[in-house]
Amino acid sequence: MKKKLLILLFFFLQVSFSQENIIIIDYTHHIHMKELPSATIVDARLTFNDTVSNYEMDFVGNLNFEEEKAGKEGGSVYAIKAKKNPHIFKNFIEKKISSIERVSMKPFYVKDTMNIFDWKIDTSKREILGYKCQKAKTHFRGREYIAYFTLEIPYPTGPWKFYGLPGVILSVESTDKVFKMNANQIVIKKTNETISNPFDEIVLKPITWESYIKEYEKKYYELKNYRGENGTTRSLPKKKIETIILETAPYIKD
């Protein structure tokens, strides 16, 4: 009997030590581009462990999504509802951030470096969902951001592309109020489950962020000179969430 109990205890310990923490944080993901009269607000989920994280934005399940909105300057602004939810996948070992970025409607599989954030940690503190958080600031691709991270969950990840603080980011917002994400639920569990890479089966060849910028610049310049019937024009924005077209871009001749 004792031998059986020892075997069971050994088995239990082996299973316990083979399990790892997986943390799941739900966020409210909020985008309000200035050219649109109202915000797009969707649920998002960050799932991560010691080696990877995946941020999924639920645009497919967003019942409030509007395909057509009135523009501030008159006319209409169209948006196409996603057939698949967008993901931001981070590999902490490779130090890469994977995402699908688009030029017009053409998708590109971009693997960006993680060394893109220069954080300044502040002494200000606040509590979020019962966790003590500390303030940090950064400038990232055309916008200033204020974030709150917690050392109580010491993983260097966060929502969307944000990364590089000594604890997970529970709140982050651009100072121009265009882009913000706030955690509303945290679940920590021990499990044998792994976090799959949503891009593992993608057929697109990965490119760098710099290569993506070049593709975007070419299309921007092409459309800038476009004149259709009756003088119609087409264009791409210089700035989305991230600034794509810099004033010094080689293809741009404003």
Side-chain angles (χ1 to χ4, degrees), residues 202-216:
I202 198 166
V203 295
L204 297 173
K205 182 180 178 181
I207 62 171
T208 64
W209 176 258
E210 290 74 20
S211 295
Y212 167 70
I213 292 295
K214 289 179 181 179
E215 294 292 336
Y216 197 98

Side-chain angles (χ1 to χ4, degrees), residues 53-69:
S53 75
N54 182 49
Y55 186 69
E56 179 177 4
M57 295 147 277
D58 190 16
F59 284 91
V60 172
N62 179 18
L63 298 178
N64 296 319
F65 188 91
E66 298 178 56
E67 290 190 332
E68 180 180 357
K69 296 182 180 181

Side-chain angles (χ1 to χ4, degrees), residues 62-248:
N62 179 18
L63 298 178
N64 296 319
F65 188 91
E66 298 178 56
E67 290 190 332
E68 180 180 357
K69 296 182 180 181
K72 284 189 176 180
E73 306 298 326
S76 296
V77 178
Y78 289 89
I80 297 175
K81 186 169 183 178
K83 293 182 180 179
K84 292 183 179 180
N85 283 334
H87 294 255
I88 305 291
F89 186 81
K90 304 184 190 100
N91 187 309
F92 306 153
I93 308 300
E94 295 179 357
K95 299 292 184 184
K96 295 293 183 182
I97 303 175
S98 298
S99 62
I100 296 295
E101 309 290 341
R102 295 182 182 275
V103 176
S104 292
M105 295 305 297
K106 185 177 179 181
F108 290 85
Y109 173 28
V110 177
K111 294 189 79 171
D112 201 357
T113 176
M114 279 185 169
N115 300 319
I116 50 178
F117 294 101
D118 182 18
W119 293 101
K120 306 297 181 187
I121 296 177
D122 201 312
T123 56
S124 301
K125 293 179 172 63
R126 60 180 280 203
E127 189 173 287
I128 300 174
L129 299 175
Y131 290 88
K132 295 177 182 178
C133 296
Q134 191 165 346
K135 185 178 181 180
K137 300 177 182 178
T138 192
H139 178 89
F140 178 62
R141 292 177 180 164
R143 298 189 197 277
E144 301 288 336
Y145 290 93
I146 295 174
Y148 283 88
F149 67 97
T150 178
L151 294 172
E152 295 176 46
I153 307 177
Y155 294 78
T157 191
W160 196 57
K161 297 182 179 182
F162 292 105
Y163 176 84
L165 285 166
V168 68
I169 297 168
L170 298 185
S171 174
V172 60
E173 181 175 349
S174 62
T175 56
D176 60 4
K177 309 299 182 185
V178 167
F179 194 35
K180 62 182 176 181
M181 289 144 287
N182 292 299
N184 53 58
Q185 179 175 275
I186 301 172
V187 175
I188 302 175
K189 62 180 183 178
K190 277 195 173 293
T191 179
N192 291 319
E193 297 172 12
T194 58
I195 300 171
S196 60
N197 184 342
F199 302 105
D200 273 347
E201 297 182 4
I202 198 166
V203 295
L204 297 173
K205 182 180 178 181
I207 62 171
T208 64
W209 176 258
E210 290 74 20
S211 295
Y212 167 70
I213 292 295
K214 289 179 181 179
E215 294 292 336
Y216 197 98
E217 287 174 354
K218 289 176 186 177
K219 191 67 176 179
Y220 179 96
Y221 185 59
E222 175 188 320
L223 292 180
K224 191 175 180 64
N225 291 326
Y226 174 82
R227 293 293 181 274
E229 295 181 5
N230 302 319
T232 57
T233 61
R234 296 168 62 193
S235 64
L236 289 175
K238 286 185 176 182
K239 186 175 185 178
K240 299 192 284 186
I241 296 300
E242 298 154 283
T243 297
I244 309 296
I245 302 295
L246 300 174
E247 297 304 322
T248 56

Side-chain angles (χ1 to χ4, degrees), residues 9-20:
L9 180 60
F10 177 76
F11 176 76
F12 174 77
L13 290 172
Q14 286 289 99
V15 170
S16 297
F17 282 112
S18 66
Q19 292 179 329
E20 63 176 353

